Amino acid sequence: MRLARITFVCILVLSFLALTACSPVKPEGQLTLQRGTFTFAMSGLYKPFNYHETEKGSRLTGFDVDIGKALAKEMGLRPNPVAVPWETIIAGLQMRKYDAIIGSMGITNKRKKAVNFTDPYYRSGAQIFVAKENLSIRSADDLKGKTIGVVKATTFKDVALEYSSDIVEYTSDITALQDLPTGRVDAVITDRAVGLYAMSKMNFLIKDIDTPLTEDEMGIAIHKGDRELRQKLNQALEQIIKDGTYEKISYRYFNRNILRTTTDENNKE
């Protein structure tokens, strides 16, 4: 029995050493894993934030990609965006397969236990959208008794039920938003950035109403040990916001600055 126990302990130790050996160690004093290159990960499946542009040889593109490239340039590094399955993306960061995650990752207390985050690089949340010509809904209070469209199995349904029991469920945000001009639904509650993209790039005849009902902050995830990289990224983010680079990228995709809330936009005007 004692021999078996010793053998079991040895196996555990060897397994731990094998796992450790598979995780690259960043050279001491080096900002990124590969000198001169900033490698950042995303799913590649979340249009318009990060996706493969088939017309350009399946190259990764989108808002997240452009922000990553701008940050890399500001830090004097070569950008290297990579697509990774979302379910393993944090594990990959912990194993040092890339320097950061720029993939529209919401900052949550649970994730903070596994990674560090930069300052938010955009804000989103549950937003009300109506047909462009709709004049009867001007705020969340006007949703009472109205027909609201939401995507199935999302938290948006819970938000909608706070205002009305007349809910129509859809399989996609795009389908729901397309139904607004037809009058099948009075309003749609979905992710703010998704709706803004449909407005600015897909020419949907819709508009956003009031401020978001909820607000989520998206951050760049960094390995727990990379304090210097986190500091450099925050400095670079601050600079591209200050010099107008961030706003230029944001307007390219959403026709507005998505770092600001709707309240900020109204105050600016």
Side-chain angles (χ1 to χ4, degrees):
M1 180 65 73
R2 184 179 180 185
L3 180 61
R5 186 177 300 166
I6 293 173
T7 303
F8 177 69
V9 171
C10 288
I11 291 172
L12 285 178
V13 172
L14 289 172
S15 298
F16 174 77
L17 291 174
L19 285 172
T20 304
C22 292
S23 301
V25 177
K26 189 169 73 170
E28 188 175 350
Q30 193 164 300
L31 185 63
T32 55
L33 295 172
Q34 181 181 347
R35 186 179 296 276
T37 299
F38 175 50
T39 300
F40 51 99
M42 59 200 63
S43 71
L45 300 171
Y46 191 43
K47 192 173 183 177
F49 291 96
N50 56 82
Y51 61 101
H52 288 92
E53 180 58 77
T54 54
E55 294 180 0
K56 299 178 181 179
S58 195
R59 187 179 67 181
L60 275 172
T61 189
F63 175 80
D64 288 335
V65 178
D66 288 355
I67 291 295
K69 288 180 177 179
L71 293 173
K73 181 180 180 181
E74 187 63 35
M75 295 187 294
L77 301 170
R78 293 184 301 274
N80 179 36
V82 295
V84 176
W86 188 253
E87 61 269 21
T88 61
I89 201 166
I90 287 181
L93 180 65
Q94 292 174 321
M95 294 179 68
R96 291 198 177 281
K97 291 186 176 181
Y98 26 86
D99 300 303
I101 298 169
I102 307 182
S104 295
M105 180 171 281
I107 301 173
T108 66
N109 289 330
K110 182 178 180 180
R111 285 173 176 156
K112 282 181 180 179
K113 295 177 182 178
V115 300
N116 281 337
F117 282 100
T118 62
D119 296 334
Y121 74 102
Y122 80 87
R123 294 180 173 88
S124 193
Q127 179 72 53
I128 303 168
F129 291 91
V130 300
K132 194 170 185 178
E133 70 276 10
N134 187 310
L135 300 177
S136 64
I137 299 176
R138 300 176 183 274
S139 69
D141 292 337
D142 296 326
L143 291 176
K144 294 177 181 178
K146 296 292 195 298
T147 303
I148 305 174
V150 297
V151 174
K152 293 179 180 178
T154 64
T155 56
F156 300 127
K157 181 179 179 180
D158 298 328
V159 175
L161 285 170
E162 294 178 16
Y163 300 96
S164 177
S165 59
D166 189 0
I167 306 296
V168 177
E169 296 185 71
Y170 292 84
T171 56
S172 79
D173 301 284
I174 299 303
T175 305
L177 293 168
Q178 284 177 322
D179 259 359
L180 283 172
T182 70
R184 186 186 178 198
V185 291
D186 299 305
V188 168
I189 295 179
T190 189
D191 183 87
R192 179 175 184 250
V194 172
L196 295 181
Y197 182 77
M199 288 167 55
S200 63
K201 297 301 179 181
M202 302 178 76
N203 298 318
F204 281 22
L205 299 178
I206 60 176
K207 61 184 177 182
D208 54 316
I209 296 297
D210 209 349
T211 58
L213 301 172
T214 63
E215 185 169 296
D216 302 311
E217 294 185 327
M218 309 300 168
I220 300 169
I222 308 295
H223 190 281
K224 278 284 190 181
D226 288 348
R227 295 180 181 177
E228 184 183 358
L229 178 58
R230 181 178 182 274
Q231 181 182 6
K232 293 287 186 182
L233 281 168
N234 276 332
Q235 291 172 347
L237 179 60
E238 182 179 359
Q239 182 56 37
I240 68 170
I241 291 170
K242 186 182 297 184
D243 67 19
T245 301
Y246 179 96
E247 187 156 293
K248 183 178 179 180
I249 294 171
S250 185
Y251 267 74
R252 185 183 307 155
Y253 291 95
F254 307 105
N255 201 33
R256 70 177 64 188
N257 189 327
I258 63 170
L259 183 59
R260 300 192 185 100
T261 62
T262 306
T263 302
D264 294 330
E265 288 288 335
N266 292 337
N267 289 340
K268 183 182 177 182
E269 293 172 1

